[in-house]
Amino acid sequence: MKVNTNSNTYIIIYSVVMVVIVAVLLSLASLGLKERQDANILNEKQTQIVKALGEDPATVAYGDVITKAALLDASGAVVSEDEKEVFAALNDLKASFEAGKYPIFVATSGVVAPLYGAGLWGPIWGYIALDTDMNTVKGIVLDHSGETPGLGAEITTAKHQAQYVGKSIFEGEELVGITLKKGGADKGSLHEVDAISGGTKTCDGVSAMIQSSLNYYKPYFDAARATTDTAAEVEAESNVVNE
Amino acid sequence: MASKSLKNLTAPLSGNNPVIVQILGICSSLAVTVQLKPAIVMGLSVMVVTAFSNLVMSLLRNGVPSRIRIIVQLVVIAALVILVDQVLKAYVYDVSKQLSVYVGLIITNCIVMGRVEAFALQNKPWDSFLDGIGNGLGYAAILVIIALVRELLGSGSLMGFRIIPESMYIAEGGFYSNCGIMLFPPMALIIVGCIIWAHRSFNKDLQEK
């Protein structure tokens, strides 16, 4: 029997069958690979947290350095310490930030806070590790989804990220973050690093991301600074008196 | 392997190269050639997609209604690209992250649909499969050449490893500085032009009178 491949009935049946087969195939592939992909994603997050602390993920495991993972609310109070919940919040950090849930990782020697912002082509994110004074940067990890390779994407290189170590995010009581400065950072500045030539838009995004993301954690940092650093406490009190 | 089948495999490597002779897939050869490693993975991914889309379309070629054949081709190609993307995410996560959106953009690569439309719909599955492999390899070869030039001159490294020593740079008291313009897409187009020029001067039969 010769089938007329150009009849409407044939075309409609052909399309329906084709779409169903493709849909089944893709769903199976997605289901089958999901576990592996999720494991990769979780592993990558933990690796980045360890890296942000300046440790080598090849030798140091996540569990060795992180003592507690927690979710904070807008006032800096801990609302959950369930690790699963914290990592789930990391999966959609933008939504978590908007919902007032701020994941933080407490290490033996400081804290690690996640960052989320916009680059030139798409989202950028990362982790910043602060020393126990909640001010000095121990390290940073930056990542992106679609910045230009060789230009904006250079924010992921070790060379760029090494610049942040030792910088500080507070100027007195004000959270100033770290600025990526076009044309090179001022020598001796504690709040500036060199921007990447040709990647200015991405670098502006990183500066804005550090500032806005850390702002969410300011109440937590302030509380921690008040208890660990008496000098800061005295200064804060004298400011109140002056007013 | 019959010599005719073999020709399907080897012709796209030089004489009928998809990029420099058929002038297909220029867009992605500008986008992913800043560094060598993404260029190689991109070349391999495109090869897998062209080979299997050619194979599938060639198997289906007698049943495809010609009025919706472009839609059918798109569905097959898109499904294959999604599969490649999922597999990369599961098994080589770091590379898939580096390629980011470009894997998805294989769907829009003219070579894939061009070969399906021009070859697979008229030829047997095995020949079509070889044609797909050949065209993928031809594409990958050009990508690698462009990426070699761009990464070496633009960043002074290859595969991320430093080739030009730090001490030669002006910042370290040397005389050398990276050629920043190499990192921009227009330079890739100029390199493609140079490759075509060199290729045609060796292959006189390709020269237009």
Coordinates of all heavy atoms in Angstrom, one line a residue, chain A residues 5-8 10-11 14-15 18 22 25-26 29-30 33 36-37 40-41 44 48 125 143-146 149-151 154 159 198, chain B residues 31 34-35 60 62-68 71-72 75-76 79 82-83 85-87 89-91 93 97 100-102 166 183-184:
Chain A
T5 N 2.3 10.6 1.7 CA 2.9 11.3 2.8 C 2.6 12.8 2.9 O 3.0 13.5 3.8 CB 4.5 11.1 2.8 OG1 4.9 11.7 1.5 CG2 4.9 9.7 2.9
N6 N 1.8 13.3 1.9 CA 1.5 14.7 2.0 C 0.1 15.0 2.4 O -0.4 16.1 2.3 CB 1.9 15.4 0.7 CG 3.3 15.8 0.7 OD1 3.8 16.2 1.7 ND2 4.0 15.7 -0.5
S7 N -0.7 13.9 2.7 CA -2.1 14.1 3.1 C -2.1 14.8 4.5 O -1.2 14.5 5.3 CB -2.9 12.8 3.1 OG -2.5 12.1 4.2
N8 N -3.1 15.5 4.8 CA -3.2 16.2 6.1 C -3.2 15.2 7.3 O -2.6 15.4 8.3 CB -4.4 17.1 6.2 CG -4.2 18.3 5.3 OD1 -3.1 18.6 4.9 ND2 -5.3 19.0 5.0
Y10 N -2.0 12.2 7.4 CA -0.7 11.6 7.7 C 0.2 12.6 8.4 O 0.9 12.2 9.4 CB -0.1 11.2 6.3 CG 1.3 10.6 6.4 CD1 1.4 9.2 6.8 CD2 2.5 11.3 6.3 CE1 2.7 8.6 6.9 CE2 3.7 10.8 6.4 CZ 3.8 9.4 6.7 OH 5.0 8.8 6.9
I11 N 0.2 13.8 8.0 CA 1.1 14.9 8.6 C 0.7 15.0 10.1 O 1.6 15.1 10.9 CB 1.0 16.2 7.8 CG1 1.6 16.1 6.5 CG2 1.6 17.3 8.6 CD1 1.6 17.3 5.6
Y14 N 1.8 11.9 12.0 CA 3.2 11.9 12.0 C 3.8 12.8 13.1 O 4.6 12.5 13.9 CB 3.8 12.3 10.7 CG 5.2 12.0 10.5 CD1 5.7 10.8 9.9 CD2 6.2 12.9 10.9 CE1 7.0 10.5 9.7 CE2 7.5 12.6 10.8 CZ 7.9 11.4 10.1 OH 9.3 11.1 10.0
S15 N 3.2 14.1 13.1 CA 3.7 15.1 14.1 C 3.4 14.6 15.5 O 4.3 14.7 16.4 CB 3.1 16.4 13.8 OG 2.9 16.6 12.5
M18 N 5.7 11.7 16.5 CA 7.0 12.2 16.6 C 7.2 13.0 18.0 O 8.2 12.7 18.7 CB 7.4 13.2 15.5 CG 8.7 13.9 15.6 SD 9.0 14.9 14.2 CE 7.9 16.3 14.5
V22 N 9.7 11.9 21.1 CA 10.8 12.7 21.5 C 10.6 13.1 23.0 O 11.5 13.1 23.8 CB 10.9 14.0 20.6 CG1 11.8 15.0 21.2 CG2 11.3 13.6 19.2
L25 N 11.5 10.2 25.2 CA 13.0 10.1 25.2 C 13.7 11.1 26.1 O 14.5 10.7 26.9 CB 13.5 10.2 23.8 CG 13.8 9.0 23.0 CD1 14.3 9.4 21.6 CD2 14.8 8.1 23.7
L26 N 13.3 12.3 25.9 CA 13.9 13.4 26.7 C 13.6 13.3 28.2 O 14.5 13.5 29.0 CB 13.5 14.8 26.1 CG 14.1 15.1 24.8 CD1 13.7 16.5 24.4 CD2 15.6 15.0 24.7
A29 N 15.7 10.5 29.6 CA 17.1 11.0 29.8 C 17.2 11.9 31.0 O 18.2 11.8 31.8 CB 17.6 11.7 28.5
S30 N 16.3 12.8 31.1 CA 16.3 13.8 32.2 C 16.2 13.1 33.5 O 17.0 13.4 34.5 CB 15.2 14.8 32.0 OG 15.1 15.6 33.1
L33 N 19.4 10.9 34.3 CA 20.6 11.6 34.6 C 20.5 12.6 35.8 O 21.5 13.1 36.2 CB 21.1 12.4 33.4 CG 21.5 11.5 32.2 CD1 21.7 12.3 30.9 CD2 22.7 10.7 32.5
R36 N 22.7 12.1 39.0 CA 24.1 12.4 38.8 C 24.3 14.0 38.7 O 25.3 14.5 39.2 CB 24.6 11.8 37.4 CG 25.4 10.6 37.6 CD 26.1 10.3 36.3 NE 27.5 10.5 36.4 CZ 28.3 9.5 36.7 NH1 27.9 8.3 37.0 NH2 29.6 9.7 36.8
Q37 N 23.4 14.6 38.0 CA 23.6 16.1 37.8 C 23.4 16.8 39.1 O 24.2 17.7 39.4 CB 22.5 16.6 36.8 CG 22.7 16.1 35.4 CD 21.6 16.4 34.5 OE1 20.5 16.9 34.9 NE2 21.7 16.2 33.2
N40 N 26.5 16.4 41.1 CA 27.5 17.3 40.6 C 27.3 18.7 41.1 O 28.3 19.4 41.5 CB 27.4 17.4 39.0 CG 28.1 16.2 38.4 OD1 29.0 15.6 39.0 ND2 27.8 15.9 37.1
I41 N 26.0 19.1 41.1 CA 25.8 20.5 41.5 C 26.1 20.7 43.0 O 26.7 21.7 43.4 CB 24.3 20.8 41.2 CG1 24.1 20.9 39.7 CG2 23.9 22.2 41.8 CD1 22.7 21.0 39.2
E44 N 29.7 20.7 43.5 CA 30.4 21.9 43.1 C 30.2 23.0 44.1 O 31.1 23.8 44.4 CB 29.8 22.3 41.7 CG 30.5 23.4 41.1 CD 29.6 24.3 40.3 OE1 28.4 24.2 40.4 OE2 30.2 25.2 39.6
Q48 N 33.1 24.9 46.0 CA 33.3 26.3 46.0 C 33.4 27.0 47.3 O 34.2 27.9 47.6 CB 32.2 27.0 45.1 CG 32.3 26.6 43.7 CD 31.4 27.5 42.8 OE1 30.3 27.8 43.2 NE2 31.9 27.8 41.6
W125 N 27.4 34.7 40.2 CA 27.2 34.3 41.6 C 28.6 34.0 42.2 O 29.6 33.9 41.4 CB 26.2 33.2 41.8 CG 26.6 31.9 41.1 CD1 27.3 30.9 41.6 CD2 26.4 31.6 39.7 NE1 27.5 29.9 40.7 CE2 27.0 30.3 39.5 CE3 25.7 32.2 38.7 CZ2 26.9 29.6 38.3 CZ3 25.7 31.5 37.4 CH2 26.3 30.2 37.3
D143 N 31.6 33.0 39.9 CA 31.2 32.1 38.7 C 30.1 32.8 37.9 O 29.5 33.8 38.4 CB 30.7 30.8 39.3 CG 31.0 29.7 38.3 OD1 31.2 30.0 37.1 OD2 30.9 28.5 38.7
H144 N 29.8 32.3 36.8 CA 28.9 33.0 35.9 C 28.3 32.0 35.0 O 28.8 30.9 34.8 CB 29.7 34.0 35.0 CG 30.6 33.4 34.1 ND1 30.3 33.1 32.8 CD2 31.9 32.9 34.3 CE1 31.3 32.5 32.2 NE2 32.3 32.3 33.1
S145 N 27.2 32.4 34.3 CA 26.6 31.4 33.4 C 27.0 31.7 31.9 O 27.1 30.8 31.1 CB 25.1 31.4 33.5 OG 24.5 32.5 33.0
G146 N 27.1 33.0 31.6 CA 27.4 33.2 30.1 C 28.2 34.4 29.8 O 28.0 35.1 28.8
P149 N 33.9 34.6 27.2 CA 35.2 33.9 27.5 C 36.3 34.8 27.1 O 36.3 35.5 26.1 CB 35.2 32.7 26.5 CG 33.7 32.5 26.1 CD 33.1 33.8 26.2
G150 N 37.3 34.8 28.0 CA 38.5 35.6 27.8 C 38.4 37.1 28.2 O 39.3 37.8 28.4
L151 N 37.1 37.5 28.4 CA 36.9 38.9 28.9 C 36.2 38.8 30.3 O 36.8 38.6 31.3 CB 36.1 39.7 27.9 CG 36.8 39.8 26.5 CD1 35.9 40.5 25.5 CD2 38.1 40.6 26.6
E154 N 36.8 36.0 32.8 CA 38.1 36.0 33.5 C 37.9 36.2 35.0 O 38.8 35.9 35.8 CB 39.0 37.1 33.0 CG 39.5 36.8 31.6 CD 40.4 35.6 31.4 OE1 41.5 35.7 32.0 OE2 40.1 34.6 30.8
K159 N 43.8 34.1 39.3 CA 44.6 35.3 39.3 C 43.7 36.5 39.7 O 44.1 37.3 40.5 CB 45.2 35.6 37.9 CG 46.3 36.6 37.9 CD 46.8 36.7 36.4 CE 47.5 38.1 36.3 NZ 47.7 38.5 34.9
G198 N 38.2 45.1 29.1 CA 37.3 44.4 28.1 C 36.1 43.7 28.8 O 35.2 43.3 28.2
Chain B
A31 N 32.3 32.6 18.1 CA 31.9 32.7 19.5 C 32.7 31.9 20.5 O 33.0 32.3 21.6 CB 30.4 32.4 19.7
V34 N 37.7 31.7 21.6 CA 38.7 32.5 22.4 C 39.7 31.6 23.1 O 40.8 31.9 23.2 CB 37.9 33.4 23.4 CG1 38.9 34.0 24.4 CG2 37.1 34.4 22.7
Q35 N 39.2 30.4 23.5 CA 40.1 29.4 24.2 C 40.0 28.1 23.5 O 39.0 27.8 22.9 CB 39.8 29.3 25.7 CG 40.3 30.5 26.4 CD 39.7 30.7 27.8 OE1 38.7 30.1 28.0 NE2 40.3 31.5 28.6
L60 N 14.7 8.1 8.5 CA 13.3 8.5 8.4 C 12.9 9.1 7.0 O 11.8 9.4 6.7 CB 13.0 9.7 9.4 CG 13.1 9.3 10.9 CD1 12.8 10.6 11.7 CD2 12.0 8.3 11.2
N62 N 12.2 8.4 4.0 CA 11.1 8.0 3.1 C 9.8 8.2 3.7 O 8.8 8.3 3.0 CB 11.3 6.5 2.7 CG 12.5 6.3 1.8 OD1 12.9 7.2 1.0 ND2 13.2 5.2 2.0
G63 N 9.7 8.4 5.0 CA 8.4 8.6 5.6 C 8.1 10.0 6.0 O 7.0 10.4 6.3
V64 N 9.1 10.9 5.9 CA 8.9 12.3 6.3 C 8.0 13.0 5.3 O 8.4 13.0 4.1 CB 10.3 13.0 6.5 CG1 10.0 14.5 6.9 CG2 11.1 12.3 7.5
P65 N 6.9 13.6 5.8 CA 6.1 14.4 4.9 C 6.9 15.6 4.4 O 7.4 16.3 5.3 CB 4.9 14.9 5.7 CG 5.0 14.0 7.0 CD 6.4 13.6 7.2
S66 N 7.1 15.8 3.1 CA 8.0 16.8 2.7 C 7.6 18.2 3.1 O 8.4 19.1 3.2 CB 8.2 16.8 1.2 OG 7.0 17.0 0.5
R67 N 6.2 18.4 3.3 CA 5.8 19.7 3.7 C 6.2 20.2 5.1 O 6.3 21.3 5.4 CB 4.2 19.8 3.6 CG 3.8 20.0 2.2 CD 2.3 20.5 2.1 NE 1.4 19.4 2.3 CZ 0.1 19.6 2.6 NH1 -0.3 20.8 2.9 NH2 -0.7 18.6 2.7
I68 N 6.4 19.2 6.0 CA 6.9 19.6 7.3 C 8.3 19.0 7.6 O 8.7 18.9 8.8 CB 5.9 19.1 8.4 CG1 5.7 17.6 8.4 CG2 4.5 19.8 8.3 CD1 5.2 17.0 9.7
I71 N 10.5 21.1 10.0 CA 10.0 21.0 11.4 C 10.5 19.7 12.0 O 11.1 19.7 13.1 CB 8.5 21.1 11.5 CG1 8.0 22.5 10.9 CG2 8.0 20.9 12.9 CD1 6.5 22.6 10.8
V72 N 10.4 18.6 11.2 CA 10.9 17.3 11.7 C 12.4 17.4 12.0 O 12.9 16.9 13.0 CB 10.5 16.2 10.7 CG1 11.1 14.9 11.1 CG2 9.0 16.1 10.5
V75 N 13.1 19.2 15.2 CA 12.7 18.5 16.4 C 13.8 17.4 16.6 O 14.3 17.3 17.8 CB 11.3 17.8 16.2 CG1 11.1 16.8 17.3 CG2 10.2 18.8 16.1
V76 N 14.3 16.7 15.6 CA 15.3 15.7 15.8 C 16.6 16.4 16.3 O 17.2 15.9 17.3 CB 15.6 15.0 14.4 CG1 16.8 14.1 14.5 CG2 14.4 14.1 14.1
A79 N 16.2 17.7 19.9 CA 16.2 16.6 20.8 C 17.6 16.1 21.1 O 18.0 15.8 22.2 CB 15.3 15.4 20.4
I82 N 19.6 18.6 23.2 CA 19.3 18.5 24.6 C 19.9 17.3 25.3 O 20.4 17.3 26.4 CB 17.7 18.5 24.8 CG1 17.2 19.8 24.2 CG2 17.3 18.3 26.2 CD1 15.7 19.9 24.1
L83 N 19.9 16.2 24.5 CA 20.5 14.9 25.1 C 22.0 15.2 25.3 O 22.5 14.8 26.4 CB 20.4 13.8 24.1 CG 19.0 13.0 24.1 CD1 19.1 11.9 23.1 CD2 18.8 12.4 25.5
D85 N 23.5 18.0 25.8 CA 23.6 18.9 27.0 C 23.5 18.2 28.3 O 24.2 18.4 29.2 CB 22.6 20.0 26.8 CG 22.8 21.2 27.7 OD1 24.0 21.4 28.1 OD2 21.8 21.8 28.1
Q86 N 22.4 17.3 28.4 CA 22.2 16.6 29.6 C 23.3 15.6 30.0 O 23.7 15.5 31.1 CB 20.9 15.7 29.5 CG 19.6 16.6 29.3 CD 19.2 17.2 30.6 OE1 19.3 16.6 31.7 NE2 18.6 18.3 30.5
V87 N 23.9 15.0 28.9 CA 25.0 14.0 29.2 C 26.2 14.8 29.7 O 26.9 14.4 30.6 CB 25.3 13.2 27.9 CG1 26.6 12.4 28.1 CG2 24.1 12.3 27.7
K89 N 26.3 17.6 31.2 CA 26.0 18.1 32.6 C 26.2 16.9 33.6 O 26.6 17.2 34.7 CB 24.6 18.6 32.7 CG 24.5 20.1 32.5 CD 23.1 20.6 32.8 CE 22.9 22.0 32.4 NZ 21.6 22.2 31.7
A90 N 25.9 15.7 33.2 CA 26.0 14.6 34.1 C 27.4 14.1 34.2 O 27.8 13.6 35.3 CB 25.0 13.5 33.7
Y91 N 28.2 14.1 33.1 CA 29.5 13.4 33.2 C 30.7 14.3 33.1 O 31.7 14.0 33.6 CB 29.5 12.4 32.0 CG 28.6 11.2 32.3 CD1 27.3 11.2 31.8 CD2 29.0 10.2 33.2 CE1 26.4 10.2 32.1 CE2 28.1 9.2 33.5 CZ 26.8 9.1 32.9 OH 26.0 8.1 33.2
Y93 N 30.8 17.9 34.1 CA 30.1 19.1 34.5 C 30.9 20.4 34.3 O 30.3 21.4 33.9 CB 29.8 18.9 36.0 CG 28.9 20.0 36.6 CD1 27.6 20.0 36.2 CD2 29.3 20.9 37.5 CE1 26.7 21.0 36.6 CE2 28.5 21.9 38.0 CZ 27.2 22.0 37.5 OH 26.4 22.9 38.0
K97 N 29.8 23.6 32.0 CA 29.6 24.9 32.5 C 30.4 26.0 31.7 O 29.9 27.1 31.4 CB 30.1 25.0 33.9 CG 29.0 24.7 34.9 CD 29.6 24.9 36.3 CE 30.2 26.2 36.5 NZ 31.2 26.2 37.6
S100 N 28.5 26.7 28.5 CA 27.3 27.3 28.9 C 26.2 27.3 27.7 O 25.9 26.3 27.3 CB 27.6 28.7 29.4 OG 28.1 29.5 28.3
V101 N 25.8 28.5 27.3 CA 24.7 28.5 26.3 C 25.1 28.0 25.0 O 24.2 27.7 24.2 CB 24.2 30.0 26.1 CG1 23.7 30.5 27.4 CG2 25.4 30.9 25.7
Y102 N 26.4 27.9 24.7 CA 26.8 27.5 23.3 C 26.3 26.1 22.9 O 26.1 25.8 21.8 CB 28.3 27.7 23.1 CG 28.7 29.1 23.2 CD1 29.5 29.6 24.2 CD2 28.1 30.1 22.3 CE1 29.9 30.9 24.3 CE2 28.4 31.4 22.5 CZ 29.3 31.8 23.4 OH 29.6 33.1 23.6
E166 N 55.7 34.5 31.9 CA 55.3 35.8 32.6 C 56.4 36.8 32.5 O 56.1 38.0 32.4 CB 55.0 35.5 34.1 CG 53.7 34.7 34.3 CD 52.4 35.5 34.4 OE1 52.5 36.7 34.2 OE2 51.3 34.9 34.5
L183 N 41.0 38.7 21.3 CA 39.9 38.2 22.1 C 38.5 38.6 21.5 O 37.5 38.1 22.0 CB 40.0 38.7 23.5 CG 41.3 38.2 24.2 CD1 41.4 38.9 25.6 CD2 41.4 36.7 24.3
F184 N 38.5 39.5 20.6 CA 37.2 40.0 20.0 C 36.8 39.2 18.8 O 37.7 38.8 18.0 CB 37.3 41.5 19.7 CG 37.4 42.3 21.0 CD1 38.7 42.7 21.4 CD2 36.3 42.6 21.7 CE1 38.8 43.5 22.6 CE2 36.4 43.4 22.9 CZ 37.7 43.8 23.3

